[in-house]
Amino acid sequence: MGQPGRGRRFAAGVRRHPRAWITGSVVTALVVAGGIGAAVVTTRHSDDTSTAAQERGMTAGQALQQPPEATGMTVTLDASAAKYELAGRTVEGNEYNGGAVAPTLRAQPGSTVTLTLVNHLPVATNLHFHGLHIAPTGDSDDPDVCVAPGATHVYRLALPANHPMGTYWYHSHAMGLTCPDPGGHDASMPGMSMPGMSMPAPATFVPGNVENQIFAGLSGALIVGDDRAGLPEPLRGITAQTLVLKDVQLDPAGRIVQGDTKNQIESGAPTVRLVNGQLRPVLTMRPGETQLWRLVNAGADIFYDLRLAGYTFTVIGEDGIPVAATSTPETVLMPPGKRYDVLVTAAAQPGQTWLQTMPYSNGPQGDAYPQTDLIQVRIDGDPVPAGPVVSGALPGAPADLANAPIAWRRSVQLSEDESGTSFFVNGKQFSMGDSIFTTPARLGTVEEWTLTNVAGEDHPFHLHTSAFQVVSINGVTQPYTHRQDTVLVPHQENDTPGKVVIRIPFDDYPGHWMFHCHIAAHEDNGMMSYVNVVK
């Protein structure tokens, strides 16, 4: 279990309320912060919070199924609160398009996708297209858009012709429970029908609702093009698996746990880790077969440290960007929001192994996660000839920024209060109308940012609109191998802050480029800001 306040949602100034599973008592609370609905949720007894208890009624060991796909240039997503089947157990949460697993969206470089979001939730919502290099304004990837209950908003995602091909994801980026209304009315009352709004909010901190909505089910994979096209010709037709990693915590009635100001989501509590909504599914490969695995951490708060026992991963893409140099690690660390495209080649002989997440701690103020089996990988059937070894740069890998002229240098400090209930960037909590920077960034330039972490837990830093290049970590120069949109900033140790230096190319798209910690509880509670980008 994490330290007090870790991974929770609190309103400013609200003290931590002991969880019933800690005290052994039963507490009821009116849930007003989640997307599931205003319902009384009974917090759990200490003897029914184990992972095994939450898995009761679920079916393990089924053949791995791919998420459903929403294809075409016109797509509709209906966000609803509902009961649905999750790994064979009826649960209550949020869903897109009537399924336990959100559909995988597909887009092509140079195309424009028209996506209609229909909000059937009792609270406001919206969408962020995480990692896409598209405009952060208008009907594109503007996180200020607020879609009230009963309202519809149409997004138009115009991807540039040279957009990298790889794995991205989408999720709710709701800045609060209600939409701001210049007339002073609550613009999120159920039954209202209005277009999504984008307008300044009061310059005071308002807790967001990202954690609840992602945790309840509002996130899914998004694939641009097909990065198999950049592989050697014999590998371009290999099987591609989309593996969406998410966890759920369930109360005894099968409701996905939600937070309010008194009873919070505890990200270190026992949880059920699922892949494509399945419990420990079985993935079958033929001896010698190479597959492409598109790995997506689409959860709200927790980390995955993936290992395939007896194997290495060949990383060909990170955060949707083709790499400039492949690597073959035994493990890949995936904080919330992280994606990897990896090649896996089965052994030459039949057998089996497990894709696992290994024991991992993200710092003394954070959580310690246990080792957990995720997918059983069975090697069976007729062998196939071994494919070529993939190494070096993949087509479409961006240029090295090591020698780029630096137009501006900025400092970003990540911190939190002692209770772990309020989070800050440069000492400030998020405000839509107030960037931590007074000087804008300019298109056509490259900036160097120094990210420091003075907290006792790691913070995954995410930048909207563009990927960046990591220059150094804790003073150690990093050779250029890739760009990314999410990087882990290490926690402070022995009074020495963790430090990551990055370089950001502001190639195009004026507007507010947001950045935040991608532990959703942290961005909800203040660890977020933006840089204004001008022509």
Side-chain angles (χ1 to χ4, degrees), residues 90 113 201 238 308 361-362 407 432 455 479:
T90 300
V113 176
I238 61 176
L308 184 63
S361 171
N362 63 336
M432 283 189 188

Side-chain angles (χ1 to χ4, degrees), residues 49-86:
T49 62
S50 69
T51 296
Q54 296 178 65
E55 289 180 358
R56 291 185 190 124
M58 292 186 175
T59 302
Q62 301 293 307
L64 177 71
Q65 301 294 316
Q66 292 298 283
E69 292 197 359
T71 59
M73 306 300 289
T74 303
V75 175
T76 297
L77 286 179
D78 287 294
S80 303
K83 292 184 177 181
Y84 50 81
E85 294 296 313
L86 188 65

Side-chain angles (χ1 to χ4, degrees), residues 82-163:
K83 292 184 177 181
Y84 50 81
E85 294 296 313
L86 188 65
R89 178 179 178 180
T90 300
V91 305
E92 184 177 347
N94 293 166
E95 62 182 7
Y96 288 123
N97 293 6
V101 180
T104 297
L105 304 181
R106 287 189 175 268
Q108 296 297 324
S111 69
T112 297
V113 176
T114 300
L115 188 153
T116 301
L117 174 64
V118 184
N119 184 11
H120 299 291
L121 301 171
V123 293
T125 191
N126 68 2
L127 285 171
H128 168 48
F129 305 95
H130 183 126
L132 289 193
H133 184 57
I134 55 178
T137 56
D139 294 328
S140 186
D141 192 23
D142 183 356
D144 287 353
V145 165
C146 188
V147 185
T152 295
H153 183 70
V154 179
Y155 291 89
R156 292 176 176 85
L157 313 179
L159 279 66
N162 63 348
H163 196 289

Side-chain angles (χ1 to χ4, degrees), residues 412 414 425 435-437 449 461-464 513-517 527-531:
V412 175
L414 309 176
V425 181
S435 169
I436 63 168
F437 301 127
W449 291 17
F461 173 92
H462 168 56
L463 174 69
H464 290 210
W513 292 27
M514 298 197 71
F515 54 88
H516 54 83
C517 175
M527 193 174 281
M528 179 162 57
S529 190
Y530 65 86
V531 60

Side-chain angles (χ1 to χ4, degrees), residues 121-462:
L121 301 171
V123 293
T125 191
N126 68 2
L127 285 171
H128 168 48
F129 305 95
H130 183 126
L132 289 193
H133 184 57
I134 55 178
T137 56
D139 294 328
S140 186
D141 192 23
D142 183 356
D144 287 353
V145 165
C146 188
V147 185
T152 295
H153 183 70
V154 179
Y155 291 89
R156 292 176 176 85
L157 313 179
L159 279 66
N162 63 348
H163 196 289
M165 294 192 293
T167 302
Y168 303 85
W169 69 302
Y170 66 96
H171 58 84
S172 166
H173 208 288
M175 301 294 202
L177 300 174
T178 61
C179 297
D181 176 40
H185 305 292
D186 181 356
S188 286
M189 292 301 293
M192 296 191 71
S193 180
M194 63 187 71
M197 294 177 287
S198 181
M199 62 186 71
T204 56
F205 172 66
V206 177
N209 202 33
V210 178
E211 181 188 35
N212 273 334
Q213 293 191 12
I214 291 179
F215 201 67
L218 298 185
S219 64
L222 193 165
I223 297 171
V224 175
D226 187 343
D227 50 355
R228 289 175 295 184
L231 297 175
E233 195 280 331
L235 298 178
R236 292 177 188 171
I238 61 176
T239 296
Q241 308 276 7
T242 300
L243 305 178
V244 179
L245 311 174
K246 294 186 72 172
D247 70 300
V248 294
Q249 296 176 26
L250 300 172
D251 71 9
R255 292 177 290 237
I256 296 177
V257 171
Q258 295 279 271
D260 63 10
T261 58
K262 292 183 178 180
N263 295 276
Q264 312 307 320
I265 296 174
E266 168 55 72
S267 59
T271 188
V272 180
R273 299 206 189 207
L274 304 170
V275 182
N276 297 348
Q278 296 179 270
L279 180 64
R280 294 186 290 279
V282 176
L283 185 157
T284 301
M285 302 178 67
R286 295 166 63 186
E289 179 186 5
T290 297
Q291 292 188 357
L292 171 64
W293 292 3
R294 295 170 171 144
L295 304 169
V296 184
N297 183 349
D301 298 312
I302 72 173
F303 290 58
Y304 290 78
D305 191 17
L306 296 182
R307 171 180 177 265
L308 184 63
Y311 289 80
T312 59
F313 303 103
T314 299
V315 177
I316 65 167
E318 182 170 344
D319 290 346
I321 313 294
V323 299
T326 58
S327 58
T328 56
E330 293 184 357
T331 61
V332 289
L333 179 61
M334 301 186 67
K338 197 70 180 173
R339 293 94 59 217
Y340 281 98
D341 286 24
V342 301
L343 299 178
V344 175
T345 300
Q349 302 298 324
Q352 68 177 36
T353 187
W354 281 92
L355 178 70
Q356 303 168 311
T357 183
M358 304 305 292
Y360 182 77
S361 171
N362 63 336
Q365 198 174 355
D367 292 325
Y369 302 111
Q371 180 173 320
T372 305
D373 292 337
L374 300 175
I375 300 177
Q376 185 184 48
V377 180
R378 293 178 183 171
I379 315 301
D380 194 18
D382 297 330
V384 299
V389 174
V390 178
S391 61
L394 273 293
D400 189 355
L401 298 175
N403 297 318
I406 303 302
W408 201 260
R409 287 180 169 84
R410 303 180 192 262
S411 296
V412 175
Q413 185 190 77
L414 309 176
S415 63
E416 56 191 88
D417 65 6
E418 291 184 1
S419 67
T421 62
S422 296
F423 300 84
F424 308 89
V425 181
N426 288 6
K428 296 181 179 180
Q429 289 187 293
F430 173 67
S431 171
M432 283 189 188
D434 184 19
S435 169
I436 63 168
F437 301 127
T438 58
T439 304
R442 297 192 177 275
L443 292 181
T445 68
V446 174
E447 294 192 354
E448 185 171 280
W449 291 17
T450 298
L451 317 175
T452 57
N453 181 1
V454 297
E457 59 181 314
D458 302 340
H459 288 297
F461 173 92
H462 168 56

